[in-house]
Amino acid sequence: MASQVNGHRSGSDAQGGKSLREDLQEFLGGEALLHELDDLTKVNPVTLETVLRCLQARYAADMFYTSAGCTLVALNPFKPVPQLYSPALMREYHAAPQPQKLRPHIFAVGEQTYRNVQSLIEPVNQSIIVSGESGAGKTWTSRCLMKFYAVVAASPTSLESHKIAERIEQRILNSNPVMEAFGNACTLRNNNSSRFGKFIQLQLNSAQQMTGAAVQTYLLEKTRVTCQASSERNFHIFYQICKGASVDERLQWHLPEGASFSWLPNPERTLEEDCFQVTREAMLHLGIDIPTQNNIFQVLAGLLHLGNIWFADSKDEAQSCQLMDDAKCSIRTSASLLQLPEDPLLETLQIRTIRAGRQQQVFQKPCSRAECDTRRDCLAKLVYARLFDWLVSVINSSICADPDSWTTFIGLLDVYGFESFPNNSLEQLCINYANEKLQQHFVAHYLRAQQEEYAVEGLDWSFVNYQDNQACLDLIEGSPISICSLINEECRLNRPSSAAQLQTRIESALAGSPCLGHNKLSREPSFIVVHYAGPVQYHTAGLVEKNKDPVPPELTRLLQQSQDPLLKVLFPMDPEEKSQEEPSGQSRAPVLTVVSKFKASLEQLLQVLHSTTPHYIRCIKPNSQGQAHTFLQEEVLSQLEACGLVETIHISAAGFPIRIPHQNFVERYELLRRLCTRTSPGSHSPSPDERHSEWSPHTKGATLQPLLQDILHTLPALTQAAATPGDAAEATPIPVHCGRTKVFMTDSMLELLECGRAQVLEQCACCIQGSWRRHRHRKQERQRQAATLIQAAIRSWLARKHIQRMHAAATAIKRTWQKWRIRMAFLASKELDGVQEKHVSQVPLPLGSLLLPQAQTSLLEAIIRLWPLGLVLANAAVGVRGFQRKLVVWACLQLPMGNPSSYAVQTAQEQAGVTSIRALPQGSIKFHCRKSPLPYADICPEPSLHSVTGFNQILLERHSLGHM
């Protein structure tokens, strides 16, 4: 109790307030750190309250994805977050070496499935199960995953294959808006609720490139075409036609502005999904051309007008119900749009055909007003269901690849979430039944299977209690008596059955089930099923009729008479189908009910899921109003309890998700024995031959145990090497357990083992690289030495050959030169024999000549004295031509330097027409002797026409030199 002294609190109260504030600050500080925990297994302690606080803190920090062991928890932000799903972020998760180290995201789950396919670890096929309540974001999650796979699973090399891959990806992505337009609707909980289940199979080839896809649908809620709950809408496509069609299209489809249709409630609401142009473009990319699209929309407009047909009660049971006044125009318009004859259409809706007796006599009975409305609704549902199935087949034919072109697949399961409305019927029963089966698949695959395996392997494990929904499944589908079997039996008996009788029979036959309840305050016949997500009350009124889903044969025959091209495809004239529609009374086949067909397709889906590696995404809805930044703990808490998330976190935190058989463990991690510094005396590494012989079926277990122990003994060293200095002092147990046939460990220990293995492989690689470099260096050195020796030998041989050639050439030149010199000396001595120098001064001059100057006289004397040397040098200058040759002559004869042109040399050939000095002279030529000197002096290899060809010619031209 608070006490005050002079207006102040006492000391104890002050201390209490201080401690309260400290606790509050500590709580707020811890709350502030909760958003940093990206894995709920790290929350301590793991309770609903702590998990809820962590999710709320992360939601407030705009962190909408959180890991929970094997499950990813996705909170619906209820607002656009573009940067959270950008292509850049997709590439970041795809290129990351370890995507699990990044923040939790649906892209991390997608990348993990893609890498599992690449690793080819059995089972290779992957599946992602997206579950949650209606409006939790399952459709958006599936759409983003498809975009992610379209980005990362397309890396073709050639341009042509790149174009093909882009076309396939675009068609796969375009299938989403078409499927959502025809299969989604606005409900109380979700503006874009999937009213059918779909399993999308993304097909990959051997190179892990997306080659196609296949879509399988489950249980379309076709009753929504004719019946919508309060504040709910019909399928999106009807609103798209009415709001997005052009003026001409409105006139063509008889959809005037402001028209009212009974099957089109709440048309004033405008949603993001009411985009008609997007649907048209997507259909065009899928191969549905414009005329076919107009045909589809025309049929849908005909269904809208069909909904405005109302009948009045007939006063006489023998007379058929008549149309109301305002319905006559609607039936005329509907018959025109569907291209059906108006009178047969009206007659089919008003009159029922009955076949009875062994002779199958045909009787016609007028229908009551309720029966007329039922037949009208049945006609609309039949057309829409066939149209939806046809669209799915067109999409599959457009995006599905050949069976030989793909080897693996990744499945995306997007089914309707758990539903509980004020009025629940057969559709909600089937939807919740499917969710129960998927919850059991999760429980069987992860929770129960793991704990049972721990017990079989002999691990010391304290079992975690979890919610098993097997009792609820036994109530719905059990044998021999269950809710489904009782409803099917009512359909097979083909007897009038009231809703109260069905309720009484269910309660009496299944009274011992703990999951069956009864609402005593309900005025309508109903029963309650306690599902894993909570109790749901189902009304029995109309349950049997919906399960029968009767289609009168006369309706099918009427639609086969249509002249509409699309309806002709949807309702072909098939004789086999006609014979099946009219069986005899003795051989009538059992009725295939809606529940039976849905159960069969669901079992087929679960078989596919069991053959794959499943991954789970739990979508959580923060509030039921769809408001951003609003986190209602009560609603989130109920969803966490329903999906068993806390039990999942407990088992994930305390369990061992990694399980490796002994032989595989030894084969992969035997390298870690190299890390042991000392080997025990008794342990030794067997040779490959010994190991192969020892690993026989008889001695395999005994051989593996020592190897396992040796490998496990290396784990403390790995742990110490990986620990930080602060954590080294703490002795924590190693989270590895060796079972009877498998080794169990956590993700952290697997990462540690992989790091140790990578370290050993790196050491081995370094050793191999060093040995290889040493070997390559030695080989290169030997090759270099050998090349040096070879080069030296070749160079010496080439040098010897060159010297030999040069020596031989020099010898030949020397010998030739000596011969030529001797010959020229002999010729010179022979021609100058007997010549005396005194005759030089007595040479008579021709008439008219003047006495030569003293310089010219000395020049002539030098020429006469030195002409043999000049002659030799002039002829020995090989390659010298023209003016250069004259210079050589002048230099050798020591002529005075001056202008070479001053010495005009005129050859004797130019004067006397002598072409060669060896030609016969025309007269007697005297030069200090009786005969011409050096008759062979003009010999030259390549004589020039205008050059001095011999010294003898210079002597013969002395007359010209005298006149210079």
Side-chain angles (χ1 to χ4, degrees), residues 105 139 167 218 293 349 369 578 594 609 740 767 835 930:
H105 202 283
T139 302
R167 184 168 64 251
Y218 304 95
Q293 293 182 25
L349 297 180
R369 178 183 176 183
K578 184 176 180 181
V594 173
L609 295 180
R740 294 187 176 93
C767 181
V835 179
R930 296 179 181 179

Side-chain angles (χ1 to χ4, degrees), residues 84 222 233 324 584 939:
L84 198 59
K222 56 186 178 181
R233 300 203 319 174
M324 291 185 175
S584 61
I939 298 175

